[in-house]
Amino acid sequence: MAQQKPSKTWLLTGGSGFIGAALVAELKRKGVRLIVLSRNQNKTQIKLGRHVTVITSLDILKPSDQIDVVVNLAGEPLFGGLWTKKRKQAFFSSRLDTTKALVQLINQLEHKPAVMISGSAIGYYGADPEKTFVESSEAGSDDMARLCTEWEQTAAPVAKEGVRLVLLRIGLVLDKAGGMLAPLMLASRLGLGARLGSGRQWMSWITRDDLVRMILFAADHPAVKGPINGTAPNPVTQKVFADTLAKHVRRPRFFWIPAFVLRLFLGQMSDLLLKGQKVLPRKATDMGFAFETVDIEDTFG
């Protein structure tokens, strides 16, 4: 499958986040012109560098502006505090409002982007330990599934504007430099690695580098459209993950934290640790995307 030349101008939301910052760094190496939407212009400008144009509102952009690729990664982090009613509302509003604004911008642009890659999550499928999910699987019915479904539906109108829409359903993103893996590695080095609940819940993961490469792949290959699972080919259970990490840092894994303890202290947020989905990247592999990391132990090296 022939690749297109890299697009000239990319518009990113969530560009200063864990995934977005890595994507920005890769695009800068490729010489792509970058526009990043951020609420904190000064902080984001310092973090991303002077070769990135940071804007605080999409209203700054004019209908005549040339934008070739839109990547939508904005959203209130799911970890970082108890799921109060206010925070749960922020999960929806931070994702849906930004996506609506992007759709409105695209409607106004005289030259439409070739593609919009809109973030979603594997929470779309709901939690069922007995099922294996691929892109054609139906949506679940819990709160996270409802969030992801509304998020994707909000992005859908861009397809009517002739824009190729890619719905990137992202799994657990791992990188030693940050995200959830860094504190877990520290805990394991201190001998505090633990099985959570039954330990049988699935962890469908992907390295940050592979996810960035998948975004670039989706942008450069016109045949990629609709949902695509941002997960590695070999999901593992939480117990396997914890035991493999403990083995890597050469520390025993003694601890077990029962589900009721996590629910007592974390409330509904504990669902992120106690529930999971076995998700396979069928579309990515069928279309020839080559993962650099396919085994969980290789993410720790």
Side-chain angles (χ1 to χ4, degrees), residues 11-48:
L11 170 64
L12 276 64
T13 68
S16 62
F18 177 59
I19 300 167
L23 176 60
V24 166
E26 182 61 27
L27 291 171
K28 286 170 67 176
R29 282 192 287 270
K30 293 179 176 294
V32 173
R33 177 173 176 257
L34 288 163
I35 303 171
V36 173
L37 176 69
S38 174
R39 290 175 295 181
N40 192 324
Q41 186 173 29
N42 292 337
K43 184 178 178 180
T44 301
Q45 192 73 69
I46 292 170
K47 181 175 183 177
L48 300 182

PDB file of all heavy atoms in Angstrom, residues 11-48:
ATOM      1  N   LEU A  11      -3.632  20.001  12.989  1.00  0.00           N
ATOM      2  CA  LEU A  11      -4.276  20.648  14.122  1.00  0.00           C
ATOM      3  C   LEU A  11      -4.527  19.590  15.186  1.00  0.00           C
ATOM      4  O   LEU A  11      -5.164  18.567  14.918  1.00  0.00           O
ATOM      5  CB  LEU A  11      -5.600  21.287  13.683  1.00  0.00           C
ATOM      6  CG  LEU A  11      -6.511  21.796  14.803  1.00  0.00           C
ATOM      7  CD1 LEU A  11      -5.850  22.929  15.576  1.00  0.00           C
ATOM      8  CD2 LEU A  11      -7.859  22.245  14.228  1.00  0.00           C
ATOM      9  N   LEU A  12      -4.014  19.839  16.395  1.00  0.00           N
ATOM     10  CA  LEU A  12      -4.126  18.879  17.482  1.00  0.00           C
ATOM     11  C   LEU A  12      -4.860  19.484  18.668  1.00  0.00           C
ATOM     12  O   LEU A  12      -4.632  20.642  19.024  1.00  0.00           O
ATOM     13  CB  LEU A  12      -2.743  18.429  17.975  1.00  0.00           C
ATOM     14  CG  LEU A  12      -2.013  17.306  17.243  1.00  0.00           C
ATOM     15  CD1 LEU A  12      -1.673  17.696  15.819  1.00  0.00           C
ATOM     16  CD2 LEU A  12      -0.750  16.919  18.017  1.00  0.00           C
ATOM     17  N   THR A  13      -5.729  18.680  19.287  1.00  0.00           N
ATOM     18  CA  THR A  13      -6.213  18.988  20.625  1.00  0.00           C
ATOM     19  C   THR A  13      -5.606  17.937  21.553  1.00  0.00           C
ATOM     20  O   THR A  13      -5.346  16.807  21.152  1.00  0.00           O
ATOM     21  CB  THR A  13      -7.747  18.925  20.711  1.00  0.00           C
ATOM     22  OG1 THR A  13      -8.183  17.563  20.541  1.00  0.00           O
ATOM     23  CG2 THR A  13      -8.384  19.796  19.641  1.00  0.00           C
ATOM     24  N   GLY A  14      -5.384  18.327  22.795  1.00  0.00           N
ATOM     25  CA  GLY A  14      -4.704  17.409  23.716  1.00  0.00           C
ATOM     26  C   GLY A  14      -3.234  17.252  23.385  1.00  0.00           C
ATOM     27  O   GLY A  14      -2.612  16.258  23.758  1.00  0.00           O
ATOM     28  N   GLY A  15      -2.664  18.242  22.710  1.00  0.00           N
ATOM     29  CA  GLY A  15      -1.291  18.127  22.227  1.00  0.00           C
ATOM     30  C   GLY A  15      -0.226  18.208  23.293  1.00  0.00           C
ATOM     31  O   GLY A  15       0.932  17.872  23.032  1.00  0.00           O
ATOM     32  N   SER A  16      -0.583  18.643  24.502  1.00  0.00           N
ATOM     33  CA  SER A  16       0.402  18.709  25.573  1.00  0.00           C
ATOM     34  C   SER A  16       0.285  17.541  26.542  1.00  0.00           C
ATOM     35  O   SER A  16       1.026  17.466  27.523  1.00  0.00           O
ATOM     36  CB  SER A  16       0.253  20.026  26.349  1.00  0.00           C
ATOM     37  OG  SER A  16      -1.031  20.104  26.963  1.00  0.00           O
ATOM     38  N   GLY A  17      -0.639  16.628  26.284  1.00  0.00           N
ATOM     39  CA  GLY A  17      -0.840  15.485  27.156  1.00  0.00           C
ATOM     40  C   GLY A  17       0.181  14.384  26.935  1.00  0.00           C
ATOM     41  O   GLY A  17       1.111  14.511  26.134  1.00  0.00           O
ATOM     42  N   PHE A  18       0.001  13.279  27.635  1.00  0.00           N
ATOM     43  CA  PHE A  18       0.931  12.160  27.603  1.00  0.00           C
ATOM     44  C   PHE A  18       1.116  11.613  26.191  1.00  0.00           C
ATOM     45  O   PHE A  18       2.239  11.352  25.743  1.00  0.00           O
ATOM     46  CB  PHE A  18       0.420  11.066  28.548  1.00  0.00           C
ATOM     47  CG  PHE A  18       1.245   9.817  28.574  1.00  0.00           C
ATOM     48  CD1 PHE A  18       2.583   9.853  28.917  1.00  0.00           C
ATOM     49  CD2 PHE A  18       0.673   8.590  28.270  1.00  0.00           C
ATOM     50  CE1 PHE A  18       3.343   8.688  28.959  1.00  0.00           C
ATOM     51  CE2 PHE A  18       1.411   7.431  28.304  1.00  0.00           C
ATOM     52  CZ  PHE A  18       2.756   7.483  28.647  1.00  0.00           C
ATOM     53  N   ILE A  19       0.025  11.447  25.464  1.00  0.00           N
ATOM     54  CA  ILE A  19       0.098  10.948  24.087  1.00  0.00           C
ATOM     55  C   ILE A  19       0.413  12.095  23.131  1.00  0.00           C
ATOM     56  O   ILE A  19       1.275  11.982  22.250  1.00  0.00           O
ATOM     57  CB  ILE A  19      -1.227  10.278  23.685  1.00  0.00           C
ATOM     58  CG1 ILE A  19      -1.542   9.103  24.601  1.00  0.00           C
ATOM     59  CG2 ILE A  19      -1.175   9.817  22.227  1.00  0.00           C
ATOM     60  CD1 ILE A  19      -2.959   8.584  24.470  1.00  0.00           C
ATOM     61  N   GLY A  20      -0.285  13.214  23.305  1.00  0.00           N
ATOM     62  CA  GLY A  20      -0.141  14.330  22.383  1.00  0.00           C
ATOM     63  C   GLY A  20       1.260  14.888  22.302  1.00  0.00           C
ATOM     64  O   GLY A  20       1.757  15.206  21.212  1.00  0.00           O
ATOM     65  N   ALA A  21       1.936  15.003  23.440  1.00  0.00           N
ATOM     66  CA  ALA A  21       3.294  15.555  23.440  1.00  0.00           C
ATOM     67  C   ALA A  21       4.249  14.667  22.661  1.00  0.00           C
ATOM     68  O   ALA A  21       5.146  15.160  21.958  1.00  0.00           O
ATOM     69  CB  ALA A  21       3.785  15.739  24.872  1.00  0.00           C
ATOM     70  N   ALA A  22       4.076  13.345  22.770  1.00  0.00           N
ATOM     71  CA  ALA A  22       4.925  12.426  22.011  1.00  0.00           C
ATOM     72  C   ALA A  22       4.632  12.525  20.520  1.00  0.00           C
ATOM     73  O   ALA A  22       5.542  12.449  19.684  1.00  0.00           O
ATOM     74  CB  ALA A  22       4.709  10.993  22.502  1.00  0.00           C
ATOM     75  N   LEU A  23       3.358  12.709  20.165  1.00  0.00           N
ATOM     76  CA  LEU A  23       2.990  12.887  18.761  1.00  0.00           C
ATOM     77  C   LEU A  23       3.574  14.184  18.217  1.00  0.00           C
ATOM     78  O   LEU A  23       4.109  14.216  17.099  1.00  0.00           O
ATOM     79  CB  LEU A  23       1.473  12.879  18.615  1.00  0.00           C
ATOM     80  CG  LEU A  23       0.914  13.143  17.218  1.00  0.00           C
ATOM     81  CD1 LEU A  23       1.401  12.103  16.223  1.00  0.00           C
ATOM     82  CD2 LEU A  23      -0.617  13.188  17.254  1.00  0.00           C
ATOM     83  N   VAL A  24       3.495  15.253  18.996  1.00  0.00           N
ATOM     84  CA  VAL A  24       4.059  16.533  18.577  1.00  0.00           C
ATOM     85  C   VAL A  24       5.556  16.398  18.320  1.00  0.00           C
ATOM     86  O   VAL A  24       6.080  16.900  17.308  1.00  0.00           O
ATOM     87  CB  VAL A  24       3.792  17.623  19.640  1.00  0.00           C
ATOM     88  CG1 VAL A  24       4.652  18.856  19.394  1.00  0.00           C
ATOM     89  CG2 VAL A  24       2.318  18.009  19.646  1.00  0.00           C
ATOM     90  N   ALA A  25       6.272  15.727  19.222  1.00  0.00           N
ATOM     91  CA  ALA A  25       7.716  15.559  19.062  1.00  0.00           C
ATOM     92  C   ALA A  25       8.045  14.824  17.767  1.00  0.00           C
ATOM     93  O   ALA A  25       8.980  15.201  17.043  1.00  0.00           O
ATOM     94  CB  ALA A  25       8.292  14.806  20.255  1.00  0.00           C
ATOM     95  N   GLU A  26       7.255  13.803  17.430  1.00  0.00           N
ATOM     96  CA  GLU A  26       7.502  13.043  16.201  1.00  0.00           C
ATOM     97  C   GLU A  26       7.178  13.887  14.974  1.00  0.00           C
ATOM     98  O   GLU A  26       7.923  13.864  13.976  1.00  0.00           O
ATOM     99  CB  GLU A  26       6.665  11.772  16.212  1.00  0.00           C
ATOM    100  CG  GLU A  26       6.876  10.864  15.009  1.00  0.00           C
ATOM    101  CD  GLU A  26       8.306  10.359  14.876  1.00  0.00           C
ATOM    102  OE1 GLU A  26       9.013  10.248  15.903  1.00  0.00           O
ATOM    103  OE2 GLU A  26       8.724  10.080  13.732  1.00  0.00           O
ATOM    104  N   LEU A  27       6.107  14.641  15.021  1.00  0.00           N
ATOM    105  CA  LEU A  27       5.729  15.480  13.881  1.00  0.00           C
ATOM    106  C   LEU A  27       6.739  16.606  13.664  1.00  0.00           C
ATOM    107  O   LEU A  27       7.016  16.989  12.527  1.00  0.00           O
ATOM    108  CB  LEU A  27       4.329  16.044  14.089  1.00  0.00           C
ATOM    109  CG  LEU A  27       3.189  15.016  14.020  1.00  0.00           C
ATOM    110  CD1 LEU A  27       1.879  15.645  14.449  1.00  0.00           C
ATOM    111  CD2 LEU A  27       3.067  14.418  12.623  1.00  0.00           C
ATOM    112  N   LYS A  28       7.280  17.146  14.732  1.00  0.00           N
ATOM    113  CA  LYS A  28       8.313  18.174  14.602  1.00  0.00           C
ATOM    114  C   LYS A  28       9.535  17.616  13.889  1.00  0.00           C
ATOM    115  O   LYS A  28      10.156  18.294  13.054  1.00  0.00           O
ATOM    116  CB  LYS A  28       8.691  18.720  15.980  1.00  0.00           C
ATOM    117  CG  LYS A  28       7.644  19.646  16.572  1.00  0.00           C
ATOM    118  CD  LYS A  28       7.927  19.986  18.027  1.00  0.00           C
ATOM    119  CE  LYS A  28       9.161  20.830  18.195  1.00  0.00           C
ATOM    120  NZ  LYS A  28       9.360  21.234  19.612  1.00  0.00           N
ATOM    121  N   ARG A  29       9.878  16.369  14.204  1.00  0.00           N
ATOM    122  CA  ARG A  29      11.018  15.735  13.525  1.00  0.00           C
ATOM    123  C   ARG A  29      10.755  15.579  12.038  1.00  0.00           C
ATOM    124  O   ARG A  29      11.680  15.574  11.227  1.00  0.00           O
ATOM    125  CB  ARG A  29      11.324  14.378  14.158  1.00  0.00           C
ATOM    126  CG  ARG A  29      12.074  14.466  15.477  1.00  0.00           C
ATOM    127  CD  ARG A  29      12.600  13.123  15.916  1.00  0.00           C
ATOM    128  NE  ARG A  29      11.539  12.252  16.396  1.00  0.00           N
ATOM    129  CZ  ARG A  29      11.145  12.197  17.662  1.00  0.00           C
ATOM    130  NH1 ARG A  29      11.709  12.973  18.568  1.00  0.00           N
ATOM    131  NH2 ARG A  29      10.186  11.363  18.033  1.00  0.00           N
ATOM    132  N   LYS A  30       9.492  15.438  11.671  1.00  0.00           N
ATOM    133  CA  LYS A  30       9.122  15.273  10.270  1.00  0.00           C
ATOM    134  C   LYS A  30       8.939  16.607   9.553  1.00  0.00           C
ATOM    135  O   LYS A  30       8.642  16.640   8.362  1.00  0.00           O
ATOM    136  CB  LYS A  30       7.844  14.439  10.163  1.00  0.00           C
ATOM    137  CG  LYS A  30       8.007  12.992  10.590  1.00  0.00           C
ATOM    138  CD  LYS A  30       6.683  12.249  10.481  1.00  0.00           C
ATOM    139  CE  LYS A  30       6.850  10.771  10.802  1.00  0.00           C
ATOM    140  NZ  LYS A  30       7.682  10.069   9.797  1.00  0.00           N
ATOM    141  N   GLY A  31       9.074  17.697  10.278  1.00  0.00           N
ATOM    142  CA  GLY A  31       8.944  19.008   9.658  1.00  0.00           C
ATOM    143  C   GLY A  31       7.522  19.442   9.389  1.00  0.00           C
ATOM    144  O   GLY A  31       7.278  20.314   8.543  1.00  0.00           O
ATOM    145  N   VAL A  32       6.568  18.850  10.089  1.00  0.00           N
ATOM    146  CA  VAL A  32       5.167  19.199   9.886  1.00  0.00           C
ATOM    147  C   VAL A  32       4.846  20.504  10.624  1.00  0.00           C
ATOM    148  O   VAL A  32       5.319  20.747  11.737  1.00  0.00           O
ATOM    149  CB  VAL A  32       4.260  18.061  10.417  1.00  0.00           C
ATOM    150  CG1 VAL A  32       2.790  18.463  10.379  1.00  0.00           C
ATOM    151  CG2 VAL A  32       4.475  16.793   9.602  1.00  0.00           C
ATOM    152  N   ARG A  33       4.022  21.349  10.022  1.00  0.00           N
ATOM    153  CA  ARG A  33       3.545  22.563  10.700  1.00  0.00           C
ATOM    154  C   ARG A  33       2.453  22.154  11.677  1.00  0.00           C
ATOM    155  O   ARG A  33       1.518  21.428  11.319  1.00  0.00           O
ATOM    156  CB  ARG A  33       3.003  23.567   9.692  1.00  0.00           C
ATOM    157  CG  ARG A  33       2.426  24.817  10.342  1.00  0.00           C
ATOM    158  CD  ARG A  33       2.055  25.867   9.299  1.00  0.00           C
ATOM    159  NE  ARG A  33       1.409  27.017   9.930  1.00  0.00           N
ATOM    160  CZ  ARG A  33       0.099  27.262   9.903  1.00  0.00           C
ATOM    161  NH1 ARG A  33      -0.712  26.445   9.229  1.00  0.00           N
ATOM    162  NH2 ARG A  33      -0.401  28.325  10.499  1.00  0.00           N
ATOM    163  N   LEU A  34       2.561  22.637  12.927  1.00  0.00           N
ATOM    164  CA  LEU A  34       1.671  22.186  13.988  1.00  0.00           C
ATOM    165  C   LEU A  34       0.903  23.337  14.615  1.00  0.00           C
ATOM    166  O   LEU A  34       1.479  24.370  14.962  1.00  0.00           O
ATOM    167  CB  LEU A  34       2.480  21.482  15.084  1.00  0.00           C
ATOM    168  CG  LEU A  34       3.037  20.100  14.730  1.00  0.00           C
ATOM    169  CD1 LEU A  34       4.118  19.708  15.703  1.00  0.00           C
ATOM    170  CD2 LEU A  34       1.921  19.079  14.731  1.00  0.00           C
ATOM    171  N   ILE A  35      -0.403  23.133  14.769  1.00  0.00           N
ATOM    172  CA  ILE A  35      -1.251  24.047  15.523  1.00  0.00           C
ATOM    173  C   ILE A  35      -1.861  23.226  16.662  1.00  0.00           C
ATOM    174  O   ILE A  35      -2.472  22.180  16.424  1.00  0.00           O
ATOM    175  CB  ILE A  35      -2.366  24.640  14.656  1.00  0.00           C
ATOM    176  CG1 ILE A  35      -1.787  25.357  13.433  1.00  0.00           C
ATOM    177  CG2 ILE A  35      -3.240  25.583  15.464  1.00  0.00           C
ATOM    178  CD1 ILE A  35      -2.846  25.786  12.421  1.00  0.00           C
ATOM    179  N   VAL A  36      -1.676  23.679  17.893  1.00  0.00           N
ATOM    180  CA  VAL A  36      -2.149  22.941  19.059  1.00  0.00           C
ATOM    181  C   VAL A  36      -3.125  23.803  19.849  1.00  0.00           C
ATOM    182  O   VAL A  36      -2.805  24.946  20.201  1.00  0.00           O
ATOM    183  CB  VAL A  36      -0.978  22.507  19.963  1.00  0.00           C
ATOM    184  CG1 VAL A  36      -1.489  21.900  21.266  1.00  0.00           C
ATOM    185  CG2 VAL A  36      -0.091  21.510  19.231  1.00  0.00           C
ATOM    186  N   LEU A  37      -4.308  23.261  20.108  1.00  0.00           N
ATOM    187  CA  LEU A  37      -5.303  23.947  20.927  1.00  0.00           C
ATOM    188  C   LEU A  37      -5.039  23.633  22.395  1.00  0.00           C
ATOM    189  O   LEU A  37      -4.910  22.463  22.780  1.00  0.00           O
ATOM    190  CB  LEU A  37      -6.712  23.485  20.546  1.00  0.00           C
ATOM    191  CG  LEU A  37      -7.863  24.050  21.380  1.00  0.00           C
ATOM    192  CD1 LEU A  37      -8.036  25.542  21.120  1.00  0.00           C
ATOM    193  CD2 LEU A  37      -9.164  23.294  21.087  1.00  0.00           C
ATOM    194  N   SER A  38      -4.944  24.673  23.233  1.00  0.00           N
ATOM    195  CA  SER A  38      -4.660  24.475  24.651  1.00  0.00           C
ATOM    196  C   SER A  38      -5.292  25.595  25.459  1.00  0.00           C
ATOM    197  O   SER A  38      -5.319  26.748  25.042  1.00  0.00           O
ATOM    198  CB  SER A  38      -3.148  24.443  24.901  1.00  0.00           C
ATOM    199  OG  SER A  38      -2.865  24.383  26.289  1.00  0.00           O
ATOM    200  N   ARG A  39      -5.763  25.245  26.670  1.00  0.00           N
ATOM    201  CA  ARG A  39      -6.318  26.262  27.559  1.00  0.00           C
ATOM    202  C   ARG A  39      -5.214  27.109  28.181  1.00  0.00           C
ATOM    203  O   ARG A  39      -5.446  28.251  28.555  1.00  0.00           O
ATOM    204  CB  ARG A  39      -7.153  25.601  28.659  1.00  0.00           C
ATOM    205  CG  ARG A  39      -8.458  24.978  28.184  1.00  0.00           C
ATOM    206  CD  ARG A  39      -9.165  24.245  29.289  1.00  0.00           C
ATOM    207  NE  ARG A  39      -8.386  23.088  29.745  1.00  0.00           N
ATOM    208  CZ  ARG A  39      -8.775  22.254  30.704  1.00  0.00           C
ATOM    209  NH1 ARG A  39      -9.919  22.459  31.327  1.00  0.00           N
ATOM    210  NH2 ARG A  39      -8.025  21.231  31.041  1.00  0.00           N
ATOM    211  N   ASN A  40      -4.025  26.537  28.327  1.00  0.00           N
ATOM    212  CA  ASN A  40      -2.909  27.241  28.958  1.00  0.00           C
ATOM    213  C   ASN A  40      -1.827  27.484  27.913  1.00  0.00           C
ATOM    214  O   ASN A  40      -0.939  26.664  27.708  1.00  0.00           O
ATOM    215  CB  ASN A  40      -2.357  26.423  30.129  1.00  0.00           C
ATOM    216  CG  ASN A  40      -1.406  27.228  31.000  1.00  0.00           C
ATOM    217  OD1 ASN A  40      -0.644  28.058  30.506  1.00  0.00           O
ATOM    218  ND2 ASN A  40      -1.446  26.966  32.302  1.00  0.00           N
ATOM    219  N   GLN A  41      -1.930  28.624  27.241  1.00  0.00           N
ATOM    220  CA  GLN A  41      -1.063  28.897  26.099  1.00  0.00           C
ATOM    221  C   GLN A  41       0.404  28.960  26.494  1.00  0.00           C
ATOM    222  O   GLN A  41       1.256  28.335  25.847  1.00  0.00           O
ATOM    223  CB  GLN A  41      -1.483  30.201  25.430  1.00  0.00           C
ATOM    224  CG  GLN A  41      -0.734  30.488  24.138  1.00  0.00           C
ATOM    225  CD  GLN A  41      -1.305  31.713  23.430  1.00  0.00           C
ATOM    226  OE1 GLN A  41      -1.837  32.621  24.060  1.00  0.00           O
ATOM    227  NE2 GLN A  41      -1.216  31.720  22.111  1.00  0.00           N
ATOM    228  N   ASN A  42       0.731  29.703  27.542  1.00  0.00           N
ATOM    229  CA  ASN A  42       2.134  29.887  27.917  1.00  0.00           C
ATOM    230  C   ASN A  42       2.787  28.577  28.347  1.00  0.00           C
ATOM    231  O   ASN A  42       3.898  28.246  27.909  1.00  0.00           O
ATOM    232  CB  ASN A  42       2.249  30.926  29.040  1.00  0.00           C
ATOM    233  CG  ASN A  42       1.891  32.321  28.568  1.00  0.00           C
ATOM    234  OD1 ASN A  42       1.963  32.629  27.382  1.00  0.00           O
ATOM    235  ND2 ASN A  42       1.489  33.182  29.499  1.00  0.00           N
ATOM    236  N   LYS A  43       2.118  27.838  29.204  1.00  0.00           N
ATOM    237  CA  LYS A  43       2.664  26.572  29.692  1.00  0.00           C
ATOM    238  C   LYS A  43       2.862  25.577  28.549  1.00  0.00           C
ATOM    239  O   LYS A  43       3.890  24.903  28.453  1.00  0.00           O
ATOM    240  CB  LYS A  43       1.743  25.979  30.759  1.00  0.00           C
ATOM    241  CG  LYS A  43       2.252  24.709  31.395  1.00  0.00           C
ATOM    242  CD  LYS A  43       1.289  24.224  32.469  1.00  0.00           C
ATOM    243  CE  LYS A  43       1.773  22.917  33.097  1.00  0.00           C
ATOM    244  NZ  LYS A  43       0.823  22.453  34.154  1.00  0.00           N
ATOM    245  N   THR A  44       1.862  25.494  27.662  1.00  0.00           N
ATOM    246  CA  THR A  44       1.947  24.568  26.530  1.00  0.00           C
ATOM    247  C   THR A  44       3.027  25.003  25.550  1.00  0.00           C
ATOM    248  O   THR A  44       3.758  24.164  25.007  1.00  0.00           O
ATOM    249  CB  THR A  44       0.584  24.474  25.817  1.00  0.00           C
ATOM    250  OG1 THR A  44      -0.388  24.015  26.753  1.00  0.00           O
ATOM    251  CG2 THR A  44       0.647  23.516  24.639  1.00  0.00           C
ATOM    252  N   GLN A  45       3.158  26.300  25.318  1.00  0.00           N
ATOM    253  CA  GLN A  45       4.184  26.800  24.403  1.00  0.00           C
ATOM    254  C   GLN A  45       5.582  26.441  24.908  1.00  0.00           C
ATOM    255  O   GLN A  45       6.449  26.007  24.143  1.00  0.00           O
ATOM    256  CB  GLN A  45       4.065  28.306  24.251  1.00  0.00           C
ATOM    257  CG  GLN A  45       4.884  28.880  23.101  1.00  0.00           C
ATOM    258  CD  GLN A  45       4.282  28.546  21.747  1.00  0.00           C
ATOM    259  OE1 GLN A  45       3.222  29.049  21.388  1.00  0.00           O
ATOM    260  NE2 GLN A  45       4.941  27.682  20.987  1.00  0.00           N
ATOM    261  N   ILE A  46       5.800  26.607  26.202  1.00  0.00           N
ATOM    262  CA  ILE A  46       7.096  26.253  26.793  1.00  0.00           C
ATOM    263  C   ILE A  46       7.356  24.753  26.667  1.00  0.00           C
ATOM    264  O   ILE A  46       8.468  24.322  26.340  1.00  0.00           O
ATOM    265  CB  ILE A  46       7.146  26.698  28.264  1.00  0.00           C
ATOM    266  CG1 ILE A  46       7.146  28.230  28.350  1.00  0.00           C
ATOM    267  CG2 ILE A  46       8.373  26.127  28.972  1.00  0.00           C
ATOM    268  CD1 ILE A  46       6.950  28.766  29.759  1.00  0.00           C
ATOM    269  N   LYS A  47       6.334  23.963  26.906  1.00  0.00           N
ATOM    270  CA  LYS A  47       6.496  22.511  26.864  1.00  0.00           C
ATOM    271  C   LYS A  47       6.759  21.996  25.453  1.00  0.00           C
ATOM    272  O   LYS A  47       7.615  21.130  25.244  1.00  0.00           O
ATOM    273  CB  LYS A  47       5.246  21.821  27.434  1.00  0.00           C
ATOM    274  CG  LYS A  47       5.332  20.304  27.447  1.00  0.00           C
ATOM    275  CD  LYS A  47       4.125  19.696  28.131  1.00  0.00           C
ATOM    276  CE  LYS A  47       4.251  18.166  28.200  1.00  0.00           C
ATOM    277  NZ  LYS A  47       3.103  17.564  28.928  1.00  0.00           N
ATOM    278  N   LEU A  48       6.058  22.537  24.470  1.00  0.00           N
ATOM    279  CA  LEU A  48       6.133  22.005  23.109  1.00  0.00           C
ATOM    280  C   LEU A  48       7.183  22.692  22.242  1.00  0.00           C
ATOM    281  O   LEU A  48       7.599  22.144  21.226  1.00  0.00           O
ATOM    282  CB  LEU A  48       4.762  22.088  22.430  1.00  0.00           C
ATOM    283  CG  LEU A  48       3.628  21.321  23.124  1.00  0.00           C
ATOM    284  CD1 LEU A  48       2.343  21.455  22.314  1.00  0.00           C
ATOM    285  CD2 LEU A  48       3.988  19.850  23.328  1.00  0.00           C
TER     286      LEU A  48
END
